[in-house]
Amino acid sequence: MRKIFDFHGGIHPPENKQQSLGEPIRDAGIPAQLVVPLSQHIGAPSSPIVAVGDRVLKGQVIAEAAGFVSVPQHAPSSGTVAAIEERPIPHPSGFHALCIVIDCDGRDEWLPHRGLENYEGESPSDLLEHIREAGIAGMGGAGFPSAVKLKEKPGASIDTLIINGTECEPYITADDALMREHAAEIVAGAEILRHIVGPKNTLIGVEDNKPEGIAALQAAAEGTGIEIVVFPTKYPSGGEKQLIEILTGRQVPSGGLPADVGVVCQNVGTAVAVYDAIVHGRPLISRITTITGEAVSRPGNYRVLLGSPMQHLLDLAGFDPARNQRLVMGGPMMGFTLTDSAVPVVKTTNCLLAPSAEELPAPPPAQACIRCGLCAEACPASLLPQQLFWFARGKEYDKLEEHNLFDCIECGACSWACPSHIPLVQYYRASKADILQQRRDHEKSEQSRIRFEARQERLAREEAEKEAKRLARKKAAELRAQQQAAESGDDSGAEVDPIQAAIERAKAKKAAQQQAAGGESEQDKLEKAVASTRKRLDTASAKLEQARAEGSDLIDALQSGVDKTRAKLEAAEKALAEHLASQDNPPPASEPAVAKPRSAAEIAIAKAKAARAAEADLSPQEKARKQLDSLRQRLDKSEQRLAQSREAGEDEKIVEALAATVQRLKEKISALESEAEKVESP
Amino acid sequence: MALLRVTSPHAHGPASTQKVMQQVLLATVPGVIALIHFFGFGVLVNIAWAALLALAFESLALKLRGRELGFYLKDCSALVTAVLLGVALPPYSPWWLIAVGMASAILLAKHLYGGLGYNPFNPAMVGYVVLLISFPVQMTTWEAPRGVGEVPGLLDALRACFTPASFDGTTAATPLDVLKQNNSLLLENLWAAEPVFGRWAGIGWEWANIAFLAGGLWLLYRRIFTWHAPLAFLAVLALMAALFYDGGSSASGGSPLFHLLSGATMFGAFFIVTDPVTSAVSVRGRLVYGALAGLLVYLIRVWGNYPDAVAFAVLIMNFAAPFIDHYTQPRTYGHRKPAKRREES
Ligand code: SF4
Ligand code: SF4
C-alpha cells in the first residue's frame, strides 16, 4: 500500500452523485447544428481553415492551432460550414467568441483516419505532436493544452505521473462513469502517457466513494505496473495541488508548476482522449458530460459531440424550465452560471447542472463575520479567509498579497462553510482582478517609460553611427583620391571602381525593392484597416437598428459606439487616401524594382526575399540591430496581445503565459542590446 | 427563462451564525441549572432581566445605526451576551446593576465598535469589568450556596432584584476568596475549618464547573469551536497550579483540581475564551491565546488583587489577539514559511 497524505482543510458537502449514476452512458446523438468555439482551451484561439459553405467530414481539422499554447479544432460530425461568427460561449462572463457553425447532415461521415500501430516505437516528441494535432486539452476543468503540459521541462525530472480520477465536486459523475465503463482505455491511455513522460511511478488517484470505478480500474491495470491509489473522499481532493499532496506528500511551490516537484497530472478523460488519438487516430470531438439536477427528469451521463448546444442536452434529459432557476456548467462548488442555454458543450464541459430552486437556493443575505474560523479550517490552501475578507473589503491590496491571496484556488470551501453566508470567494475574485489591473497599469506606465528611453537611446545611437559611417566614407574617398593621384595611369585602380559602382547600384536597387515592398504592405495595412472598420461599423449599425426596433435601453451606448466607429472609419479612409496620394509619385528608383505583387503571399515572399537580400549586405552590427528591431516589434505585438487578453479577462493561465512571453522577449532584447553595446564601444 | 447569474459556490453548508449562537445558548443550560440549584433563582432572574435588557439595547442601537431590526436581532448574539453576563454576575444583583452592565456590554463594547464581528473586546466581560470597578461591593457579595446557607425562592429573588431595599440573604465569601485570605492554615486544615469547601473545590462551584464543562464538551462535539483555546487555557492553568501547589502549605496557591473547578474556570474556558470574535483566528494563534489567558488567570488569582480573574485575563488577551494573529499566520500551501516570517527574513 502506498502511503497517503492528508491536506489541510477540506469539506464534506453532500455528494449528490447517485442521481446521475442510475444508467450507463447514453449517446446524445447528432444535433442539427454544432457550434465549435475556436477557444475551448487555455491559450491562443485556433484559426479557422474552412470557409462558409465548405463540406466537412467528421474528424476533419477546421481550425489550426495558433501558436505553441493552442490546439486545433475538428469537425465533430460531417456537414456543411454554415457560419463562422461570434456566438455566446460558455464563460463565466457570458462572452461571445468566434465559432465555426456546422449544419450536420446526419451521416456522421468520418474522415479516413488511422492510429499508430506501435506507439512504443515512436519518440515522445512525435507522440506529443499527435496529441496536439488531436486537439487534446485538459478535460478536467481548466483545459490547458495537454501536449504543452506533457512536454519535458528543462531541468525538471518527472518521477510521478498522476492520472486524476478524483472527481471531488458534488453532482459530477462523468469521470466515474468513464472509469466504470472505459477503465481499459484509461489504463491504455495512462500507459501511453507513461511512455511519453517516463516516470518512475504512474498513479491513478480515485476517491473512495467510487468503488465500482476503482474495481474496474484495478482489473484493467493488472500487471501494467500502474497503481490505483484510493483515498478518503474530501472536497477538494481533486484539485491538482491537493491531489499531488495526497499522493506524494509534496506541495507545489507557490507560483510554480507540478513539474517543479517532479509530477505531471492528467485527467482520466484526457487519458482516454490520448488513447483514442494515438491508437485509433481519432481527434477529440466528443466527451462524457453529466447532466443532473432536480430540474431534469432523466439525469445521467451522455456521450456528447463537442459543439452540441446545451439546450440539446437539456431536451434529452427532460428539462423542466419551470423548476429551474440557474444553469451551471461544472459543479456546485466551482462551476459558473450560464446565461444562455444555446452555448455549446466544449472540451471542458464535465457537467451541466440544472438544479431546482429548492435544491440550490439563492444565497441568503450575508451576516457579519464572527471570526469563527470555520473558513480557515476549511481552506485547503491554509489561508485565513476571514482575514482576506477583511482586507478585501477594506481594499487593502498590500495586506491581501501579504496574506497570499494569489494562492487561493477559488475552491469555494470557505464560502460553503461560513455560517454567516458571506460570499468570500466573490470578494477574492474581485480583489484579484483589481490587483491584476493595478499591476497592469503600473507595468504599462513603466513600460512606456522604458520604451521611450530605449527609443531615445536608439535614435541617438543611430545618429552617431551614421555620422561615423559618413566620416569613414569620406576618409575612404580621400584615401582613394590620394591613391589615384599617386598611381595615376595604373589600370588596376580604374578596375576597382566599376565593381564598386556595380555593388553600390545593386545595393541601391535592393534598398528600393525593400522600400517598395514595405510601401505595398503599408497600403495593404491601411486598406485592411478601412475594411475592418467598415465591417465593425456595419455590425454596430445593425445592432443599433435592432436595439431601436426592440426599444432596448442600450440605444444610447450603441449610438455613441457607432459614431465612434464612423469617425474611426473616416480617419482610416483619410490615411489610406493620403498614402495613395504619396504613392502616386513614388521615388523613381522604385519603379523598376518589383512589379506590383498581387496576392498577400507574393508580397510576403517578396518582402522576405528583400529582407534576406538586404540582410546579406549588412554588417554584423546592422544585423544585430535589425534583429533587435524585429524583436522589439514582436515585443510590442505580444504586449498588445497581453493587454487585450487582460482586458478581455481571459484565464489567468493565458495571461501568465503571455506575460512570460513578454518577459522572455524583454530579456532577449536587453541581452542583445548589451551585446550590441559591447560591439559598438570596444 | 430568466437564468440566475451568481458566482460559485452555488451550494452552501448547513452552518449558520444563528444556529451557532443558539447552540451556545443551549450549551449553557447544564451550568445554569447547576447554578440555580446551588444559588437559587437569583441566577435565573439575572439572566432573564439581562436578556430583556439585551434585546432592548440591541434594538435601540440598531435603530440608532439605521439597521434592519429583524435581520440583526435574528443572529441571537445579544442573547448570548446576556446569558454570559447574567451567569457571571452575583445572583440577587439589583436591577440597575444588571442594566449598567448590559448597557456597557451592548452599547459600549459592541455597537460603539460597529456591532457584531467588529468588537475587539468581549462585550460580556467588558460589562462585568465595568461593574467590578464601579461597584466592587455589590460585585463581590455572593450568596452562600445550598448546604452552607438557606437558598431564597423565586419571589425573594424577584424582590431582591427589583425592590430598592437591599437584600439580606446569607452571604458567604467564595472559596477563591477564602483561599486568598488564608495565610496561616495548611490547606488541609483550611478545608476542615471553612464550610464553603466541598470535595474538590467550593460547594456548588465544583458542580457548576463540571456542568459548564459538560456543555463545553458538547459544543466541541458539535464543532462549534475547536479544542485549541479551551484546552490550552485549562492546561496552562492546571500546570501553573501544579507548579505552585507546594504540597498544600499555608502559602499554597491551591491544587490544580481546585483551580479547574473554582470560580469561572470552566465557564471561561468554554464560553468566554472561545468567543471567536475577540480571540485569535488561526489554530496556532488560538493555542497561544488560550495558554496566555490561562497563565493570566492563575497570576491574577494568586498574586493579583481580585479573587477571580477570568474577565481581566480575557480582556487583556483581547488586546493581545491582533498581535498574536500577526505572528501566528499559518504556512500557506506551497510556501516554505508563514507569511510573517517570510517577510521579516
Ligand atoms: S467562516 Fe465566515 S463568519 Fe466564520 S470567520 Fe470565516 S468569514 Fe467569518
Ligand atoms: S476559495 Fe480560496 S480561501 Fe476559500 S477555501 Fe478555497 S482556497 Fe481557501
Side-chain angles (χ1 to χ4, degrees), chain A residues 10 235-236 242 375-376 378-386 388 405 407-416 424-425 428 432, chain B residues 9:
Chain A
Y235 179 84
Q242 280 64 43
C375 49
C379 178
S382 300
L383 296 167
L384 290 174
Q386 70 276 56
L388 292 175
L405 173 66
D407 288 297
C408 164
I409 57 170
E410 298 181 18
C411 67
C414 51
S415 299
W416 188 87
L424 296 164
V425 186
Y428 308 151
K432 280 185 189 174

Side-chain angles (χ1 to χ4, degrees), chain A residues 92-93 241 245 251-254 319 321 324-326 328 332-335 337-339 360 365-372 377 381-384 386 390 393 402-404 407 412 415-416 418-421 426 429, chain B residues 1-18 20-21 71 74-75 116-118 223-224 226 276-282 286 321 325-326 329-335 339-340 342-343:
Chain A
S93 315
K241 291 177 169 181
E245 186 167 14
Q251 290 194 343
V252 181
S254 173
F319 177 60
N324 183 240
Q325 115 278 29
R326 63 179 117 176
V328 180
M333 297 305 297
M334 293 181 78
T337 46
L338 301 174
T339 43
L360 293 182
Q367 285 170 293
C369 167
I370 52 169
R371 310 211 328 145
C372 63
E377 267 175 64
S382 300
L383 296 167
L384 290 174
Q386 70 276 56
W390 191 271
R393 226 176 13 174
E402 205 176 281
H403 281 71
N404 302 323
D407 288 297
S415 299
W416 188 87
C418 175
S420 288
H421 305 275
Q426 206 169 305
R429 272 198 204 105
Chain B
M1 179 168 56
L3 288 172
L4 198 64
R5 200 162 148 194
V6 279
T7 55
S8 64
H10 304 278
H12 193 275
S16 83
T17 300
Q18 190 188 3
V20 170
M21 296 292 177
F71 180 71
K74 220 174 53 190
D75 67 28
L116 179 63
Y118 296 85
R223 293 172 170 265
I224 298 300
T226 58
V277 177
T278 57
S279 76
V281 289
S282 68
R286 285 183 175 171
D325 283 342
H326 189 74
Q329 277 184 49
R331 182 187 65 83
T332 307
Y333 180 106
H335 287 262
K340 212 53 236 163
R342 193 171 65 240
E343 195 183 286

Side-chain angles (χ1 to χ4, degrees), chain A residues 174-428:
Chain A
D175 287 347
D176 193 357
L178 197 68
M179 290 188 273
R180 291 173 188 217
E181 297 182 38
H182 298 277
E185 286 99 310
I186 294 175
V187 170
E191 287 184 284
I192 299 172
L193 291 170
R194 177 169 66 179
H195 176 68
I196 294 173
V197 176
K200 273 210 273 316
N201 301 306
T202 302
L203 315 175
I204 304 183
V206 194
E207 274 186 343
D208 62 5
N209 60 354
K210 307 179 184 64
E212 288 96 335
I214 293 165
L217 281 174
Q218 268 160 350
E222 193 76 55
T224 59
I226 293 174
E227 254 180 274
I228 316 298
V229 189
V230 182
F231 45 86
T233 301
K234 176 165 96 170
Y235 179 84
S237 59
E240 190 172 73
K241 291 177 169 181
Q242 280 64 43
L243 182 59
I244 290 172
E245 186 167 14
I246 292 171
L247 297 185
T248 66
R250 303 172 204 162
Q251 290 194 343
V252 181
S254 173
L257 293 171
D260 297 340
V261 288
V263 177
V264 165
C265 250
Q266 291 287 340
N267 169 268
V268 284
T270 315
V272 173
V274 166
Y275 163 82
D276 276 342
I278 300 294
V279 176
H280 298 297
R282 289 196 291 247
L284 178 57
I285 50 170
S286 69
R287 66 157 298 139
I288 312 287
T289 298
T290 305
I291 304 161
T292 186
E294 282 177 3
V296 295
S297 57
R298 291 185 296 279
N301 284 293
Y302 291 81
R303 176 170 293 285
V304 190
L305 292 178
L306 300 180
S308 303
M310 300 279 185
Q311 188 60 50
H312 174 73
L313 298 186
L314 292 173
D315 293 343
L316 278 181
F319 177 60
D320 176 6
R323 296 202 61 190
N324 183 240
Q325 115 278 29
R326 63 179 117 176
L327 271 184
V328 180
M329 177 171 134
M333 297 305 297
M334 293 181 78
F336 54 86
T337 46
L338 301 174
T339 43
D340 189 339
S341 61
V343 298
V345 168
V346 293
K347 292 175 183 173
T348 55
T349 309
N350 50 5
C351 180
L352 178 59
L353 178 58
S356 67
E358 309 83 61
E359 196 176 9
L360 293 182
Q367 285 170 293
C369 167
I370 52 169
R371 310 211 328 145
C372 63
L374 288 174
C375 49
E377 267 175 64
C379 178
S382 300
L383 296 167
L384 290 174
Q386 70 276 56
Q387 300 292 86
L388 292 175
F389 165 62
W390 191 271
F391 298 138
R393 226 176 13 174
K395 303 216 176 296
E396 295 177 64
Y397 296 140
D398 297 350
K399 282 271 171 50
L400 280 171
E401 290 197 58
E402 205 176 281
H403 281 71
N404 302 323
L405 173 66
F406 281 90
D407 288 297
C408 164
I409 57 170
E410 298 181 18
C411 67
C414 51
S415 299
W416 188 87
C418 175
S420 288
H421 305 275
I422 302 172
L424 296 164
V425 186
Q426 206 169 305
Y427 280 94
Y428 308 151

